[in-house]
Amino acid sequence: ASRRVARARAMGKAKARAVARSSAASSAPATKPRRGVGFTSGPTKHRTGKTLGGGVEFAKKRLKVGRKVAKHANETDSAVRSKRIRLAAQNLQSAGAGTSGEGTRDEDAASARGTPLNELLNQCGHYAAKTRCDGLNGLLEVCERYPGAVRARAGDAIERVGERLADEAREARRAARECLGRGVVPALGVEGLAPFAKTLILYAGAALTHVADDVRRDAPAALDALLEAAPTLVAAHAPASTLGHLGELLRRGDDGGVGSGSSVQRGVGSQKPATRLALLRSCRRFLETLAEGVGATDGDRGGLSSTSSMTTTFVWGEEARRGAATRSIGSMYAERSRQAPPSVLAATTASNDESEDSGGRITGESRAAVRVNAKRLVELAMCVWDDAAQTFTDERGVDVDRVRVMAQSMACARLALSLADGAEESEMLENTDIASTAVSVVPEIARRTLGMFPSTSPASVAEKQDISRTREAMVDLNFETCRFLLDASSSVAHEALAQHLAPGVMDALPHVLARALQYVTSTLRGVALDGGAMGEDVPTPDDAYGDVLALARDALTLPAWCFSASITGSACADLLVAVTETWERAVADEDIERITQCVALLTETLPEEARQGYFRVPIETAAGWVRHIPRVLWAFKHENPSATQKLLSLLHDVAARNPPGSPLADVLSTCEAEMAVLFFMVPPAGSPEGAKSRPGPFARLPFPSQCAAVRLVGVLPTLTPPMIRALAKMCLDVDRVNEELCVIAIEAMQANALAAPLELTMSFYATLLVGAAGVKFLDKSSKRDVATVEQKSWLIARRAIPSAAAALVALSDADAPWTGASLASVTLKHMWSSRVEKGDVDGATRTASGFVALIASTAEFARSVSGQSGQSIDDDNVSGAIPEMFAWFILRAEDGDGVDVDVAWRALRAAPSTTPGPVASAVVASSESSAALTDRALAFVSKLITETAAGSIEISKDELRDVVRSIQNKASALEANESTKRARALDVHWNVAFGEAI
């Protein structure tokens, strides 16, 4: 304390007093507040009332100006507080709608960082670009892991992602494209995306027409993402507007100017080659999609036709496959998603009819609007080509990117030209005075492109560029230019047949067409790019021959006058020679891929030439092409059924329209001799006894290809014995061939009866009547099931026997109705005897079945042409074979074998009266070996009594009585009680049938 006083004196008296007061207060002991024992306690000041304990009842607070008055403790708060609950989608009709099909509930859908789906959708619209990117990336993760949750919020997901396609930030635009292509579309599927396709196209159109240059530059990439996801849906909505947007991007370039006037006068704005190349590729992809959609009919567009939209219900996801349609989709668009999207042009034509604005321009999304914008795109593509073609005169060398721009511009021009001239036939008839786009383009093509086509190898390239890549780009440029020239000139050449064209067009057309044909010829001969004065020729790539042959195929469909004109005629002749060389080289090298490509050309060209009379392709050239077909079929074997069937159909069309005595007839005869081994490899006549046959390639083909091969037999000019033997062997192949093939073969032989000698044709029919041998007597096979093969043998017999018997009867006439049976009976009797000697019971029964069916058909024919009694059988071979073979068939044929057992009764009813007696005697004589055969003989005699009493069969009573007594004696000799009872029952049966005792 003294120290404090000393310091205070030094500071002054006033200050010393203050310090003293403070020191006194700090040194005084602290006093505790007095606590009461009443109801309340409070401060000691402002006492207004005392309690029993001495405390304060309540404390009074002072009020000050400007301060808020505190609320009383017993005051009620009247403020109302609430929160909104937003249900994005709900579906109470299906149980388990909250799962995505993978065992995880959709309510738990979140990104890898744990951000829920609702928050991710909100982040997609955040003001910060990084947050928007995070939201889109998280939405992509949710789409991959929880597709059911995204389907429930499909509308919100489409809107959020679509808005970001035109985002100001490049990273957000890239994330939106990835989310759309890899997440939203796979989660929804093409069907699930259908209700929102128009919305997405609108967002893509907004990006294509955005005011920001960067957004417009990236917009084609967004269109590519949609084309990868659902190309048909993209082409189905606003095709004309999208074409217009793409054309405007080509016109503007990077300068952003609008301008006025026609596109040809204005040209195109400047743009970096890489950027323009990306734009052209996007444009080409959209044009390809649109051209495919326009070229298809409404009925074959993959379920997008308007007629199927009323009956199709789309099913989404795994849960929908379990039977609940539209199970996980939102209630707002569940109903409209049940209908399929309309077709590409049906819906646009119905909803957006053609209309013209005040300036006379066609607006809307009609076909006319598509053609108008496509025509404008052709002009812009040619302007782009002109701009990039300056690289060939650049002193710094040829730039590879500009060469690629030229190639893509030609491709876009070709596709746009097909759309611009793709009018319906009715529209073309209504507007005959309006020339097509190709007519107006051909003179410009001749003026602009012929001076640079075909391009030659450059002497120098731009700095730091590889000359090999430049040459590859120039090969692509030549190919695309050739396709464009050929399509345009072909369209004009066909139009010249219908109307008169301007002299300038007709002067330019031959030169354009001849130049394109010359390049196709050069490419087929192995030179895709001329090396020029200083370089080497670039050979045609192996993978490009398919496209080149497709161009040659299109060239061979030109009008016939192009093959005889002065300028184009020589080019067409050279092209035919080049095609022949390519075909022969492919056959000699056994290049299956090249052969398949040439087959596509032949199958498109030769049938039409055969129908038209070989006006384009000379018949000698066609004969040279056909000559190699058997060798090609042998090279294909059974490994390429589709190409084999195409070649067989080609041969059928050519042979069916073969002029007699032409070079093609001799070639077809040569081909027939070489094709026999393709059906079946049969040992030649006179081979040793143990020689085996093997199935040919045709026997291993699918059934449609086998039918094509067999039908070819019906149109060939000549048929030789090897071919007939091979065909018969193939028809009876129980291991591989369908039972219907034998019927087709018989029809083919009947249609081509003059191609083979009569005895050869008869032998073929008789072989099918003989049928296949028993299973134990066939060539051995380790993969054969005995029961299956036996059943298949009877199926073939059941289908072949009636047709073969009818074909043999058709060889007869009214004067000699038994001619066909006489010709075949010797063969049938010989084969039956041979099989009986070998112990082949099944094979012999099939042969007997064929013989009985032949006799039945012949007897019915003879009765129909000769009267009720019919003609007697004047051939001893037939009459001698009937008893034994009939008896064998009656005693051994089973209903379960697949053969008609009643055919024997048909024959006995229709046969002359001299036939039933010997047959019945032979049946009784052949039943001695066993009790089972005796029982069958008894059943036959019993039915014979009934048929004779009814007058259906002509046999004398005495002859029939002898047959009954003979079978009774044989039954008694067997000492079998059942057989004896049945034999005695014949007496009663006779008495009932004839009314007298036997």
Side-chain angles (χ1 to χ4, degrees):
S2 60
R3 292 178 182 175
R4 291 177 183 173
V5 172
R7 285 197 301 271
R9 287 176 181 175
M11 289 187 293
K13 295 181 179 180
K15 197 171 183 178
R17 287 195 296 270
V19 174
R21 286 195 300 270
S22 63
S23 61
S26 62
S27 60
T31 59
K32 294 182 179 181
R34 185 173 56 184
R35 297 180 62 86
V37 293
F39 297 99
T40 62
S41 62
T44 57
K45 296 182 179 180
H46 304 290
R47 295 177 181 174
T48 58
K50 294 184 179 180
T51 63
L52 296 176
V56 180
E57 184 176 3
F58 62 87
K60 182 179 180 181
K61 294 184 179 179
R62 293 182 179 180
L63 301 178
K64 295 183 179 180
V65 178
R67 292 190 179 183
K68 186 177 181 181
V69 179
K71 295 181 179 180
H72 298 289
N74 59 351
E75 182 179 357
T76 301
D77 189 4
S78 61
V80 178
R81 297 178 179 86
S82 64
K83 292 184 178 181
R84 292 186 302 171
I85 300 176
R86 182 169 180 260
L87 298 178
Q90 59 180 349
N91 192 344
L92 303 179
Q93 296 179 355
S94 57
T99 60
S100 61
E102 300 176 357
T104 306
R105 296 188 61 83
D106 292 335
E107 287 80 356
D108 302 332
S111 64
R113 295 181 179 181
T115 307
L117 176 59
N118 189 33
E119 182 62 25
L120 292 172
L121 293 175
N122 292 334
Q123 288 181 1
C124 292
H126 200 268
Y127 65 88
K130 185 178 182 304
T131 305
R132 296 196 298 271
C133 294
D134 293 340
L136 291 169
N137 294 331
L139 182 59
L140 173 60
E141 296 173 359
V142 172
C143 291
E144 294 174 347
R145 298 173 60 185
Y146 308 97
V150 178
R151 285 194 291 269
R153 301 288 302 275
D156 294 335
I158 291 293
E159 290 180 3
R160 296 295 184 273
V161 177
E163 291 171 354
R164 302 281 70 82
L165 292 177
D167 197 286
E168 296 179 355
R170 175 177 296 180
E171 294 79 7
R173 296 194 297 270
R174 184 185 298 110
R177 294 193 298 268
E178 293 181 358
C179 181
L180 180 65
R182 293 170 45 198
V184 175
V185 172
L188 298 181
V190 178
E191 292 85 0
L193 194 65
F196 312 102
K198 189 172 184 179
T199 303
L200 283 174
I201 294 300
L202 291 177
Y203 281 122
L208 289 170
T209 58
H210 203 274
V211 295
D213 295 341
D214 294 340
V215 177
R216 291 199 312 272
R217 191 177 298 113
D218 291 345
L223 185 62
D224 289 343
L226 292 176
L227 288 172
E228 289 183 5
T232 54
L233 294 178
V234 175
H237 298 87
S241 298
T242 307
L243 274 179
H245 298 334
L246 292 172
E248 186 64 16
L249 286 180
L250 278 176
R251 187 196 64 81
R252 293 170 66 98
D254 289 335
D255 58 357
V258 178
S260 61
S262 66
S263 58
V264 177
Q265 295 174 354
R266 186 172 64 252
V268 292
S270 61
Q271 195 172 22
K272 293 182 180 179
T275 305
R276 178 164 286 171
L277 181 61
L279 174 59
L280 287 170
R281 286 173 176 170
S282 300
C283 184
R284 177 180 182 177
R285 187 166 188 177
F286 178 74
L287 288 170
E288 289 174 347
T289 304
L290 194 58
E292 293 175 359
V294 173
T297 59
D298 291 342
D300 55 7
R301 283 177 184 162
L304 298 180
S305 63
S306 57
T307 56
S308 62
S309 62
M310 301 304 296
T311 58
T312 302
T313 299
F314 288 125
V315 180
W316 296 2
E318 295 293 336
E319 297 171 358
R321 295 190 182 96
R322 295 196 291 268
T326 65
R327 180 187 295 259
S328 301
I329 64 177
S331 58
M332 184 169 60
Y333 55 89
E335 183 61 29
R336 63 174 176 170
S337 66
R338 296 177 186 271
Q339 295 185 356
S343 61
V344 174
L345 291 177
T348 54
T349 304
S351 60
N352 301 308
D353 294 333
E354 292 186 18
S355 59
E356 294 187 4
D357 59 8
S358 59
R361 295 172 298 180
I362 297 178
T363 60
E365 298 298 334
S366 61
R367 299 191 180 189
V370 173
R371 291 195 293 271
V372 168
N373 288 335
K375 181 177 180 180
R376 180 170 179 265
L377 198 59
V378 173
E379 299 172 353
L380 290 172
M382 293 303 299
C383 292
V384 170
W385 186 89
D386 286 337
D387 181 68
Q390 300 176 9
T391 186
F392 288 133
T393 58
D394 195 346
E395 296 179 354
R396 295 171 295 182
V398 177
D399 183 41
V400 63
D401 289 336
R402 293 185 179 273
V403 176
R404 291 169 180 168
V405 166
M406 295 173 65
Q408 294 298 325
S409 64
M410 279 294 176
C412 292
R414 173 180 55 84
L415 293 169
L417 182 64
S418 65
L419 290 176
D421 290 343
E424 297 291 337
E425 184 177 358
S426 59
E427 299 176 1
M428 295 176 65
L429 293 176
E430 293 176 359
N431 301 317
T432 54
D433 55 339
I434 301 177
S436 64
T437 305
V439 172
S440 60
V441 166
V442 163
E444 291 294 325
I445 292 176
R447 183 178 61 85
R448 296 186 185 185
T449 61
L450 292 188
M452 301 185 199
F453 174 77
S455 302
T456 59
S457 181
S460 62
V461 296
E463 187 178 359
K464 298 181 180 179
Q465 288 188 0
D466 189 2
I467 191 172
S468 61
R469 293 187 176 182
T470 305
R471 290 179 177 176
E472 292 177 0
M474 297 189 73
V475 170
D476 295 338
L477 171 61
N478 284 341
F479 181 71
E480 293 296 342
T481 305
C482 180
R483 293 184 67 181
F484 176 56
L485 298 182
L486 189 58
D487 287 359
S489 56
S490 176
S491 178
V492 176
H494 283 90
E495 190 167 351
L497 298 175
Q499 60 180 337
H500 178 72
L501 300 180
V505 177
M506 296 306 298
D507 291 341
L509 175 61
H511 299 281
V512 174
L513 182 57
R515 188 68 61 87
L517 294 176
Q518 289 170 2
Y519 180 74
V520 175
T521 302
S522 173
T523 309
L524 285 176
R525 288 173 174 168
V527 179
L529 181 67
D530 188 3
M534 302 177 62
E536 297 181 356
D537 296 341
V538 177
T540 304
D542 293 336
D543 55 354
Y545 271 96
D547 296 331
V548 178
L549 287 170
L551 285 178
R553 182 179 66 236
D554 296 339
L556 293 179
T557 60
L558 290 168
W561 68 266
C562 297
F563 290 79
S564 58
S566 58
I567 299 178
T568 58
S570 59
C572 291
D574 293 341
L575 177 62
L576 290 173
V577 173
V579 170
T580 304
E581 294 173 353
T582 304
W583 169 242
E584 293 177 349
R585 185 167 58 251
V587 173
D589 298 340
E590 295 185 355
D591 189 347
I592 301 299
E593 182 179 1
R594 191 72 50 79
I595 289 175
T596 305
Q597 296 166 354
C598 293
V599 167
L601 183 145
L602 298 182
T603 53
E604 290 289 337
T605 304
L606 284 182
E608 183 65 24
E609 287 300 302
R611 286 188 287 268
Q612 298 295 334
Y614 300 97
F615 290 112
R616 299 179 182 87
V617 181
I619 193 169
E620 294 80 6
T621 304
W625 292 354
V626 172
R627 179 64 184 87
H628 301 286
I629 290 181
R631 183 174 178 180
V632 173
L633 290 172
W634 182 259
F636 283 158
K637 292 184 169 55
H638 61 280
E639 298 174 356
N640 196 343
S642 61
T644 299
Q645 188 169 351
K646 288 181 180 179
L647 278 178
L648 292 172
S649 301
L650 165 64
L651 276 178
H652 186 280
D653 293 341
V654 172
R657 296 172 174 84
N658 170 39
S662 66
L664 197 57
D666 299 335
V667 171
L668 289 173
S669 300
T670 305
C671 291
E672 184 271 342
E674 297 177 356
M675 289 174 60
V677 293
L678 296 174
F679 288 88
F680 223 89
M681 289 177 277
V682 183
S687 299
E689 182 66 23
K692 296 182 179 180
S693 57
R694 293 184 300 166
F698 289 169
R700 304 175 186 270
L701 289 172
F703 180 64
S705 301
Q706 291 177 350
C707 292
V710 172
R711 290 193 182 98
L712 177 61
V713 176
V715 294
L716 290 173
T718 56
L719 294 175
T720 56
M723 173 65 77
I724 299 298
R725 286 198 299 267
L727 180 60
K729 190 70 175 179
M730 177 179 169
C731 292
L732 296 178
D733 185 7
V734 297
D735 294 321
R736 302 167 187 85
V737 177
N738 189 283
E739 60 271 11
E740 299 293 332
L741 193 67
C742 56
V743 180
I744 300 174
I746 294 171
E747 294 174 354
M749 289 294 298
Q750 286 182 295
N752 199 14
L754 299 179
L758 178 60
E759 59 272 13
L760 197 58
T761 304
M762 181 277 303
S763 175
F764 174 75
Y765 297 149
T767 302
L768 294 185
L769 284 176
V770 167
V775 180
K776 298 179 180 179
F777 298 89
L778 294 173
D779 294 336
K780 293 183 179 180
S781 175
S782 59
K783 300 180 180 179
R784 181 177 295 154
D785 181 27
V786 175
T788 303
V789 171
E790 187 62 30
Q791 183 181 6
K792 183 68 173 295
S793 300
W794 279 110
L795 285 176
I796 294 176
R798 186 168 188 172
R799 294 295 294 135
I801 286 174
S803 299
L808 282 171
V809 172
L811 298 177
S812 308
D813 54 17
D815 296 333
W818 291 91
T819 302
S822 300
L823 294 173
S825 60
V826 176
T827 302
L828 293 173
K829 180 64 182 297
H830 173 73
M831 291 301 301
W832 176 77
S833 301
S834 175
R835 289 181 176 180
V836 170
E837 292 176 0
K838 293 179 181 179
D840 185 4
V841 177
D842 292 333
T845 304
R846 274 190 287 273
T847 304
S849 173
F851 179 78
V852 172
L854 175 62
I855 297 300
S857 298
T858 306
E860 291 173 349
F861 173 69
R863 181 178 288 268
S864 65
V865 299
S866 302
Q868 186 65 23
S869 60
Q871 293 183 0
S872 61
I873 304 175
D874 54 358
D875 191 337
D876 295 338
N877 293 326
V878 178
S879 58
I882 285 178
E884 292 180 340
M885 298 184 71
F886 265 65
W888 183 278
F889 175 75
I890 291 170
L891 295 177
R892 289 171 176 80
E894 296 284 351
D895 286 332
D897 289 337
V899 68
D900 185 10
V901 180
D902 293 335
V903 68
W905 295 105
R906 281 178 47 213
L908 292 175
R909 295 188 190 105
S913 57
T914 57
T915 302
V919 170
S921 301
V923 169
V924 173
S926 302
S927 62
E928 299 176 350
S929 58
S930 65
L933 296 180
T934 302
D935 291 340
R936 291 193 176 189
L938 288 170
F940 169 76
V941 173
S942 177
K943 188 172 182 180
L944 182 61
I945 293 173
T946 303
E947 294 286 339
T948 303
S952 301
I953 296 178
E954 298 179 3
I955 184 173
S956 64
K957 285 186 179 181
D958 296 338
E959 193 173 6
L960 182 59
R961 184 181 291 110
D962 294 340
V963 170
V964 173
R965 289 174 178 174
S966 177
I967 192 62
Q968 287 178 337
N969 295 333
K970 292 183 181 296
S972 301
L974 290 175
E975 298 181 356
N977 294 331
E978 295 296 331
S979 300
T980 304
K981 291 179 181 179
R982 293 192 183 97
R984 292 174 181 175
L986 292 178
D987 295 337
V988 179
H989 192 184
W990 181 280
N991 192 5
V992 172
F994 297 104
E996 61 183 14
I998 191 170

